Amino acid sequence: MASLQGYVDHRVLLILQDGRAIVGVMAGFDQKSNVVLSDSKERVYSMDEGVEEIPLGLYLVKGDQIVLIGELDDAVDQSVDLSTVRAEPLPPIRY
Amino acid sequence: MDSAASGIQEPFDLIRLSLSERVFVKLRGDRELTGVLHAYDGHMNLILSDVEETIMIVDQVEGSANGQNTVNIAKRKIDMLFVRGDGVILVSPPLRT
Amino acid sequence: MLIFSVFKTLTDQQVTVELKNDLSITGVLKSVDQFLNIRLDSIKVLDEARHPHMMAVKNCFIRGSVVRYVQLPAEHVDTQLLEDATRRGRCTAKTMTVTKTTIALTVLSDLWRDAQSCIPTLYSTIQVFH
């Protein structure tokens, strides 16, 4: 079973169907891969300026909307200065 | 050869008879594959080997009406590929070449 | 069920998952479930310069429904076994079109078949039962 159990209480990156990227601590999940994140922030990528972080707080994301959940290596994540990162936003899922 | 003699009673029989043969697969997103079919299921999930993928990329020419589009074709080869069934539009039996 | 079994036999192998948002992720297949959700370890995103979003991600869970392709290690796929299992398996819409009188029998035989095919490492031995 490709379970999400190992991600609980870990900082994770969620990529959603519409291309948004959200980081937060996984507080819980269920069978349909609905996910609750605490202390979450959206990371908005653009080519014109560095990554903007928008605080979202406690967030419930529907499983349907999720593309990918990645466990963040905190040391690596904190070593990156997001204000220097320029990238296109991830494309949305098509069909 | 009628349908009884060829053993074809339903659409999936056509795919079953294509096992271990080279098939043509049309996919959503302007993609096409040819490859040797090794497995499939009722969702039309497929496993193919020796695959060639063709992607058609339509570039709209700036400020022009229809008919001015150029189509770029990208090809690549993959040894062994699982294809998720929800992207499959059609599977066509062996290419007799 | 067949494809699920195939993926289970490929755990600990390196695969490349191509998503419907055009992201390609290479990693070691750690697990898979009946929805074909996939867990990958030691991941690497193709064209990382263009996609720095996942720089700090070392392992991930991918939702089955967003997968377009999975590139498999050909040397670990027994194509003959796959073809036999596909021919034998319940791969048609037959079970959805059976008449009421045959449902009971079909369900019984399918249960038996499912019970066998749940054990991926033994799917070469299934023909013994047939």
Side-chain angles (χ1 to χ4, degrees):
Chain A
M1 181 69 193
S3 170
L4 293 170
Q5 189 56 52
Y7 294 128
V8 173
D9 292 336
H10 286 74
R11 287 227 320 143
V12 293
L13 167 72
L14 253 62
I15 294 185
L16 308 188
Q17 300 249 9
D18 61 5
R20 274 186 288 175
I22 297 174
V23 296
V25 177
M26 189 185 288
F29 69 94
D30 68 13
Q31 211 49 41
K32 294 159 98 177
S33 60
N34 299 316
V35 167
V36 176
L37 293 182
S38 63
D39 191 26
S40 62
K41 300 178 184 83
E42 178 177 349
R43 285 185 178 170
V44 184
Y45 288 80
S46 80
M47 290 305 276
D48 306 324
E49 51 188 317
V51 178
E52 186 186 358
E53 278 200 326
I54 300 168
L56 303 172
L58 191 62
Y59 226 51
L60 184 149
V61 185
K62 263 195 102 183
D64 302 352
Q65 288 301 311
I66 293 172
V67 170
L68 175 151
I69 301 172
E71 185 182 358
L72 284 170
D73 182 329
D74 274 327
V76 178
D77 196 47
Q78 269 146 37
S79 71
V80 176
D81 181 1
L82 286 174
S83 67
T84 64
V85 176
R86 301 277 191 285
E88 295 284 354
L90 285 168
I93 292 282
R94 300 226 299 193
Y95 61 85
Chain B
M1 196 162 62
D2 64 18
S3 67
S6 63
I8 297 183
Q9 271 112 44
E10 56 170 56
F12 270 106
D13 290 342
L14 198 69
I15 305 182
R16 197 184 63 237
L17 292 171
S18 307
L19 278 169
S20 79
E21 308 251 24
R22 184 162 280 274
V23 293
F24 170 82
V25 182
K26 190 171 162 60
L27 296 169
R28 300 178 74 154
D30 302 316
R31 286 162 196 266
E32 294 174 355
L33 305 172
T34 68
V36 180
L37 179 67
H38 297 296
Y40 65 88
D41 65 12
H43 303 289
M44 280 216 206
N45 293 320
L46 310 171
I47 294 177
L48 305 167
S49 71
D50 192 16
V51 180
E52 181 170 83
E53 184 195 31
T54 307
I55 312 171
M56 272 142 291
I57 305 151
V58 180
D59 286 331
Q60 193 104 32
V61 176
E62 290 276 332
S64 74
N66 294 346
Q68 288 271 326
N69 297 344
T70 57
V71 180
N72 283 306
I73 291 180
K75 281 183 190 277
R76 62 175 175 154
K77 290 186 192 298
I78 302 123
D79 268 0
M80 186 67 69
L81 189 68
F82 161 77
V83 182
R84 195 170 162 93
D86 58 2
V88 175
I89 294 171
L90 69 86
V91 180
S92 165
L95 304 170
R96 306 287 180 204
T97 49
Chain C
M1 251 354 204
L2 169 73
I3 303 277
F4 173 41
S5 302
V6 173
F7 276 109
K8 279 202 282 189
T9 65
L10 292 172
T11 47
D12 293 322
Q13 301 299 330
Q14 179 152 309
V15 298
T16 299
V17 181
E18 184 173 325
L19 307 182
K20 287 175 184 151
N21 59 10
D22 289 333
L23 214 58
S24 284
I25 305 167
T26 302
V28 178
L29 182 65
K30 285 324 274 187
S31 64
V32 61
D33 64 21
Q34 74 267 35
F35 305 114
L36 305 184
N37 297 325
I38 288 173
R39 268 202 60 170
L40 292 183
D41 257 10
S42 316
I43 63 160
K44 193 124 200 104
V45 175
L46 200 77
D47 199 357
E48 212 165 29
R50 224 159 65 85
H51 302 118
H53 316 70
M54 309 251 297
M55 256 187 316
V57 177
K58 292 292 156 257
N59 66 77
C60 69
F61 167 97
I62 299 169
R63 213 155 184 281
S65 60
V66 302
V67 171
R68 179 185 292 132
Y69 302 135
V70 183
Q71 298 179 34
L72 309 173
E75 63 276 22
H76 293 283
V77 178
D78 184 334
T79 54
Q80 190 58 54
L81 208 62
L82 284 186
E83 290 163 22
D84 292 346
T86 300
R87 285 196 191 91
R88 221 180 295 119
R90 178 185 43 167
C91 298
T92 68
K94 253 180 207 154
T95 49
M96 288 177 270
T97 58
V98 286
T99 60
K100 277 179 187 165
T101 49
T102 61
I103 280 179
L105 268 177
T106 311
V107 166
L108 272 175
S109 71
D110 284 349
L111 278 173
W112 176 230
R113 210 165 7 209
D114 287 347
Q116 297 164 40
S117 60
C118 281
I119 311 161
T121 51
L122 289 183
Y123 72 114
S124 58
T125 65
I126 293 172
Q127 62 197 58
V128 174
F129 295 97
H130 274 259

